[in-house]
Amino acid sequence: MSGQSDRDHPTPHTNAPTHRPSSTMSRLSDRTSPPPNSTPSQRSTTSRGLSFLSSLMGTLRRSHPRQESPPPPPEDLGLKTLRQVYSQYRDIDNPVDKEKQLYKILPLFCKNCAKYSGHELVSKFPEAFDFAEGVSLLFVRHVTQLAQASNPARSGVSLLKYFETPDDTDAGWNSGAGITILKAIHILANGTEALVTSMTSCNLASILVRCLQLFISLPPQDSRSRSGSLSRTNTPPKPTNDQGATVELQLTDSPETSKRKNLERLLRSVLTCLLRNPPAVEDLVRCSDVSLLFGVISLPCPAHNKMWRKTAAECLITICRHSLSGEVINFIHKTGCIMFSVQNIKTCTETQPPLEVVEMFSTLFCCLKDSADFSQVLLEDFSNGSGYKLLYDYLLRLDRCDNEESRAAVKNLVLLIQNLVFAGFLSLEPALSDPGPFQDRTFSISIPSGDGVSVRNSDVFQVLQDAFLKSHSSTLGLAIVNALDYIFRKDQANYFIVQDHHTLSMFLEKLVERNEDVQAHMFVLLEYVMMELNYVATAELTSIGLLLTMDEL
């Protein structure tokens, strides 16, 4: 009995090690492993179970692969590299080595930061303030050295080579890496106002404007470098096809011309970005370089340099629309920029094409209109410099020219004058003359709306009136009548603001001297006054009555 009992309840060996499976697979293997005294069939069944279990675990592993972290975006790697390289640059003590290293950083910065602007640029590249100051100082130093080392007459050419030569950082800064610096400055100029302030503290805006002044006097390119090897003075005969018809040559810009145009576009973009910020304009005022811009826009220049004059015009318009202040207006007034420009434009009316002169007036009028929101002083400067007399004389000069360009210039200049009528710091009040016995006694004049729709410049309005009375061509007469119609309809009070000028009645007295188009528009204007304004225009009706009495109509 005892033997049977011992077999049913075997006593464990105390020295045997305890086995604890370390994984789920191990525990499952222990459960399915055959006992030592199992039969062959039992061992075969157990093997099939293990095989099935292994297959099941493999499927589970494939359906749930191990999660790996995605690689960082390429731009993050580029910014990380940029910051590392810039950190190494800041540790360099030797000035020459430091400058070379900065030139190597510029392409990396342009590649990785060109798509950022404003606060995003500063957040992505926190070293932007220090970098902007270093790049600006480098640019100012090199441009100043070039201008001082060159013959004054050749300074513009030296600067052009600095910008146009292909970049070669190993050859040194004088080999044309200036265009890369300018591209980096362009990116930085799109940053925050604080970033622009750090750039302009070294007179960057002033140096760029002085470059513009030098470029306006650049000599023409060599005719041999023009595409197709054609010059203006020695043009070969045009080729003909098999039928004898002339074939027009399609010439493209030469590489040198393309480089110059690309530089102009980049410089214009950099300057307009900078000058949207008051600190950059304060830099120009401090260096007395605002007057340079007025000089560039109002002086004659050869045809190949007109693009630089347009850049100067864009700069002035940007200043007046975004960064104008009392300090800037006071500087323009004290330095006589407006009167100086008027005298320059007067000289240009004798020598320059009409449409170019109109462009000069356009830029000057933008300054006058925007400044009128702050002060009347620049409009007074224009008047004191005989600006309104110049407008009157030039309109009549164009009126005597019978060509397409002069007619286009007349229309454009009248449109500019029409808009200047609304410019003024002081409002003008409407005044109703004696309405006569036929006017409704309950009639009242509308209050001027202001906000750029009410007449505020009676001097320039008088220019339109006087020019119409002295004009002979239908082009000028019709343009002025259309301008008058636009002014009266812009604000119902405008007719009464200028009523003391007796404009409409004086125009009607000259009605018989005008063609049918001008006459028809004059009657439309009179109809507006009487039907839309509900005003009995006694003086105008009297003028028509006199013409009828004299059998002039």
Side-chain angles (χ1 to χ4, degrees), residues 507-520:
F507 280 19
L508 289 169
E509 290 175 2
K510 297 285 185 178
L511 199 62
V512 294
E513 301 175 7
R514 308 297 169 178
N515 62 13
E516 293 183 359
D517 287 339
V518 176
Q519 292 178 2

Side-chain angles (χ1 to χ4, degrees), residues 353-419:
L355 289 176
E356 290 188 24
V357 175
V358 172
E359 284 184 5
M360 298 178 188
F361 276 121
S362 176
T363 305
L364 196 59
F365 285 4
C366 284
C367 298
L368 296 177
K369 286 179 60 180
D370 292 328
S371 71
D373 294 336
F374 299 87
S375 168
Q376 190 79 7
V377 64
L378 296 189
L379 283 169
E380 292 174 355
D381 288 345
F382 185 77
S383 177
N384 294 334
S386 302
Y388 296 117
K389 184 179 185 304
L390 174 62
L391 282 175
Y392 169 76
D393 292 340
Y394 193 57
L395 281 173
L396 295 184
R397 181 190 184 94
L398 293 174
D399 186 55
R400 293 190 293 268
C401 299
D402 188 18
N403 57 71
E404 191 64 32
E405 185 177 7
S406 296
R407 287 190 288 270
V410 162
K411 295 177 182 178
N412 292 341
L413 187 54
V414 170
L415 287 175
L416 292 175
I417 297 173
Q418 158 192 300
N419 291 322

Side-chain angles (χ1 to χ4, degrees), residues 17 97 186 192 264 313 373 403 516:
D97 295 339
H186 182 219
T192 61
E264 183 271 331
D373 294 336
N403 57 71
E516 293 183 359

Side-chain angles (χ1 to χ4, degrees), residues 189-201:
N190 284 283
T192 61
E193 183 175 324
L195 188 60
V196 172
T197 302
S198 68
M199 299 169 67
T200 55
S201 60

Side-chain angles (χ1 to χ4, degrees), residues 23-293:
S23 64
T24 303
M25 190 67 188
S26 300
R27 290 195 298 270
L28 290 173
S29 299
D30 290 344
R31 292 177 186 174
T32 56
S33 59
N37 55 353
S38 59
T39 62
S41 61
Q42 290 175 330
R43 287 194 294 270
S44 175
T45 302
T46 301
S47 299
R48 286 195 298 272
L50 285 171
S51 177
F52 168 76
L53 188 60
S54 299
S55 176
L56 178 63
M57 295 301 294
T59 303
L60 290 174
R61 283 194 297 268
R62 287 191 297 273
S63 63
H64 299 282
R66 187 174 63 182
Q67 297 294 327
E68 297 181 356
S69 59
E75 58 268 20
D76 291 346
L77 291 175
L79 287 170
K80 183 178 179 181
T81 303
L82 172 63
R83 298 189 65 184
Q84 288 175 347
V85 174
Y86 189 71
S87 178
Q88 296 171 3
Y89 156 80
R90 298 174 73 173
D91 294 335
I92 299 175
D93 295 327
N94 187 290
V96 176
D97 295 339
K98 196 163 189 173
E99 185 174 296
K100 289 182 178 180
Q101 182 68 11
L102 184 57
Y103 270 115
K104 293 179 180 179
I105 295 174
L106 291 173
L108 189 62
F109 171 78
C110 294
K111 178 180 179 182
N112 292 284
C113 296
K115 58 185 175 182
Y116 302 122
S117 61
H119 293 282
E120 189 179 13
L121 174 61
V122 177
S123 64
K124 293 290 185 180
F125 186 45
E127 298 86 353
F129 289 94
D130 186 60
F131 178 73
E133 186 175 354
V135 171
S136 301
L137 283 169
L138 180 68
F139 178 83
V140 169
R141 185 171 70 252
H142 287 172
V143 170
T144 304
Q145 289 175 1
L146 278 173
Q148 292 176 349
S150 305
N151 185 327
R154 301 288 297 174
S155 296
V157 177
S158 300
L159 286 175
L160 197 65
K161 291 180 179 178
Y162 172 61
F163 286 113
E164 288 186 343
T165 307
D167 297 337
D168 185 3
T169 55
D170 293 333
W173 64 267
N174 199 26
S175 296
I179 194 69
T180 305
I181 302 181
L182 200 58
K183 288 177 181 178
I185 291 174
H186 182 219
I187 297 171
L188 293 166
N190 284 283
T192 61
E193 183 175 324
L195 188 60
V196 172
T197 302
S198 68
M199 299 169 67
T200 55
S201 60
C202 61
N203 301 336
L204 174 64
S206 175
I207 291 296
L208 288 170
V209 168
R210 293 180 188 184
C211 289
L212 191 60
Q213 184 198 27
L214 292 173
F215 290 156
I216 200 73
S217 303
L218 284 173
Q221 293 173 280
D222 188 355
S223 61
R224 290 173 297 178
S225 66
R226 299 178 187 271
S227 179
S229 300
L230 296 180
S231 66
R232 299 189 178 201
T233 58
N234 187 21
T235 304
K238 296 181 179 180
T240 56
N241 57 18
D242 296 338
Q243 287 76 31
T246 301
V247 178
E248 293 291 336
L249 292 176
Q250 299 295 326
L251 299 181
T252 58
D253 290 335
S254 66
E256 291 76 11
T257 302
S258 297
K259 285 182 181 181
R260 192 170 294 193
K261 288 182 177 180
N262 290 336
L263 173 61
E264 183 271 331
R265 284 191 289 266
L266 180 59
L267 183 60
R268 184 201 325 154
S269 185
V270 169
L271 276 167
T272 51
C273 285
L274 287 174
L275 296 176
R276 287 191 183 99
N277 300 273
V281 181
E282 292 168 5
D283 173 33
L284 293 185
V285 172
R286 186 172 58 253
C287 299
S288 301
D289 286 333
V290 174
S291 55
L292 295 181
L293 292 174

